[in-house]
Amino acid sequence: MEVEESLRLNGFLYERPGNAYLMVYFQGNAKKLQNFLDNHAMVLDWGCNVLVTDYRSFGKSEGELCGQDQLYTDAEQVYDYGRSLGYRAEQIIL
């Protein structure tokens, strides 16, 4: 997903028919998407659709993370992407 012009975060969206909620999953510090798949994939069985991304400059995400404010801005962009998929605010779990 694009968070700035020409800057993309790597991630994936896991959806199952019938799941009404979207969990936007933010991993721990310095973790990559592969860590999610290796150690946290059990959340895929919790009855929610899941959106997870690598942080800027981690894994296959582009750019360079230059501070906490930038991290928050990217997180808001990920949330907004979830909303653009048709989920209402009350259907999104962070």
Side-chain angles (χ1 to χ4, degrees):
M1 69 169 285
E2 192 167 271
V3 291
E4 287 181 11
E5 187 175 328
S6 300
L7 196 143
R8 298 181 62 83
L9 296 184
N10 179 57
F12 74 84
L13 173 65
Y14 177 84
E15 292 184 295
R16 278 190 178 162
N19 287 352
Y21 294 91
L22 176 68
M23 178 185 300
V24 178
Y25 191 91
F26 296 102
Q27 305 188 80
N29 183 37
K31 300 296 182 188
K32 300 185 275 189
L33 197 54
Q34 186 62 49
N35 179 72
F36 172 82
L37 295 171
D38 291 342
N39 299 302
H40 305 280
M42 75 287 240
V43 304
L44 300 177
D45 295 323
W46 290 357
C48 296
N49 299 317
V50 178
L51 174 61
V52 60
T53 63
D54 283 332
Y55 293 115
R56 186 185 291 233
S57 77
F58 288 91
K60 294 181 181 179
S61 287
E62 301 171 348
E64 183 177 335
L65 188 59
C66 297
Q68 192 170 349
D69 289 339
Q70 191 176 58
L71 181 72
Y72 293 148
T73 300
D74 287 352
E76 288 178 15
Q77 293 287 335
V78 173
Y79 174 83
D80 290 344
Y81 177 75
R83 292 292 308 269
S84 77
L85 296 172
Y87 293 96
R88 296 183 315 274
E90 60 271 12
Q91 291 176 288
I92 298 178
I93 302 164
L94 303 177

